[in-house]
Amino acid sequence: DLFIIDQTAQDFLEVKAAEYEGYNSRLQKESGLLFTPSLLTVPASNKVPENMKPRYLEDEGLYVGERPQVSLANQNILENRILQKEEGKKWFGDDGRIIALPNPIKESF
């Protein structure tokens, strides 16, 4: 008598319809929570300090090395994401491009 339960499985289950949230309403909710950087190219004037023109070292005859290959879309996304931060401009050189080693895997001395 101790192991007999007077309840069935239906007493423990709750059956209801699946909840569905529409695509557009989910996008609106996510846009308030998530930051999606733009794919558009950032003007060089936004990346260098105010009242300063971009300075291209290779045009001045200095060797700068070959930059790593990065797709233009990924570069634009990264630049837009970096510029959202207060200290974002420190990541850019005098030419308005992201500061990067010619070969980021190789140690620099």
Side-chain angles (χ1 to χ4, degrees), residues 1-17:
D1 217 27
L2 188 60
F3 296 105
I4 298 174
I5 298 175
D6 293 335
Q7 295 176 334
T8 64
Q10 295 298 327
D11 295 332
F12 296 105
L13 297 176
E14 180 181 349
V15 179
K16 61 180 183 177

Side-chain angles (χ1 to χ4, degrees), residues 31-105:
S31 68
L33 300 173
L34 303 175
F35 169 68
T36 307
S38 172
L39 289 170
L40 301 175
T41 304
V42 179
S45 60
N46 292 355
K47 299 184 270 186
V48 294
E50 292 181 28
N51 302 325
M52 183 177 166
K53 291 183 180 179
R55 178 180 171 206
Y56 301 102
L57 297 177
E58 55 270 3
D59 291 345
E60 296 176 14
L62 297 172
Y63 176 74
V64 292
E66 196 172 315
R67 296 178 63 87
Q69 293 292 326
V70 179
S71 71
L72 188 59
N74 285 343
Q75 183 176 331
N76 292 341
I77 289 171
L78 180 60
E79 289 176 356
N80 280 302
R81 184 180 296 271
I82 287 174
L83 287 173
Q84 292 298 317
K85 299 287 184 185
E86 288 180 20
E87 67 276 356
K89 288 190 178 185
K90 75 175 186 179
W91 289 94
F92 296 95
D94 292 336
D95 58 354
R97 297 179 74 186
I98 295 174
I99 299 171
L101 294 173
N103 184 355
I105 297 172

